[in-house]
Amino acid sequence: MKPGSYEDQHSPRQPRRPWVVGVSGASGTPYAAAVLRGLLDAGERVDLVVSRASRLTLLDETGIAFRDARWRDDLRTWLARGADGKPDTFDVKLSRDPDADDVRHWPAGDLAAGPSSGSYAVKGMLIVPASTASVAGVALGLSKDLLQRAASVTLKERRTLVVALRETPLNGQTLRHLVTLDEAGAVVLPASPAFYAGATHIQDLVDFVAGRVLDAAGVPHRLYRRWEGELGGARGDDQVDQVDHVD
């Protein structure tokens, strides 16, 4: 880049490249909160898109109303709440400055928002939780709202897209949509908690799923205990009962 060029005069020294986090209307708002906390703890920037349906789910699951005019206060309350519903469980690393760029909120109906364009610099997108409706919309390229549009842009720009599906059982139509997303380059990551990490609380199960989402995005975290090849390691057992191995 030559001195005096457009890029030299107008580009920031450290350009902001956030992760877009889309929250759809599926049950599982604690998963979204855990992912957002993990991103902020890792020092990542976030562009947040909360769908209309997810606001109803959030209100039903937590009693928290997510309002455009007070989104930062509502987000702080949400992220501080534990998966068991207890308020002020977490110390949230979210700036109280309304002009801070750690998190930007884009209304789901704003199709002129930054993430709607491929020229808007982001690292990728995480849809947590992902409803079957959002999966269908992205797979079919409908772009009915900003969440779907941002996901379509993520795919066309060959950026990381993680889709944390939260639905059961799955019908053939949804399975076909998931295959379409996989073939397009997305990571299909069902919100399926594991128990080998020694979970003793609902938060442990939520954090396992959130940790796997962050793993898929390449974001470092310490949300769950990883498998190290030792039976009983997660429980801290000194000895493990003899296991018969079958050839």
Side-chain angles (χ1 to χ4, degrees), residues 21-33 35 49 51 54 57 61 78 126-132 134-135 147 162-167 189 191 209 213:
V21 177
V23 186
S24 79
S27 176
T29 53
Y31 291 130
V35 166
V49 182
S51 76
S54 69
T57 306
E61 293 185 344
W78 177 21
L126 316 174
I127 305 179
V128 188
S131 65
T132 55
S134 65
V135 165
L147 189 153
V162 182
V163 180
L165 179 70
R166 215 309 306 162
E167 187 66 77
L189 195 153
V209 172
V213 171

Side-chain angles (χ1 to χ4, degrees), residues 92-111:
V92 181
K93 294 183 179 179
L94 177 66
S95 175
R96 295 185 181 277
D97 182 354
D99 297 322
D101 70 352
D102 52 350
V103 179
R104 289 180 181 172
H105 165 248
W106 301 95
D110 185 2
L111 292 177

Side-chain angles (χ1 to χ4, degrees), residues 60-137:
D60 185 51
E61 293 185 344
T62 69
I64 297 171
F66 192 87
R67 299 159 293 182
D68 288 339
R70 298 190 57 186
W71 71 266
R72 188 169 282 269
D73 291 336
D74 295 338
L75 179 62
R76 179 180 296 280
T77 301
W78 177 21
L79 298 189
R81 186 178 296 265
D84 58 1
K86 293 182 180 179
D88 301 321
T89 298
F90 295 98
D91 182 17
V92 181
K93 294 183 179 179
L94 177 66
S95 175
R96 295 185 181 277
D97 182 354
D99 297 322
D101 70 352
D102 52 350
V103 179
R104 289 180 181 172
H105 165 248
W106 301 95
D110 185 2
L111 292 177
S116 68
S117 172
S119 66
Y120 184 76
V122 302
K123 293 183 177 180
M125 182 173 184
L126 316 174
I127 305 179
V128 188
S131 65
T132 55
S134 65
V135 165

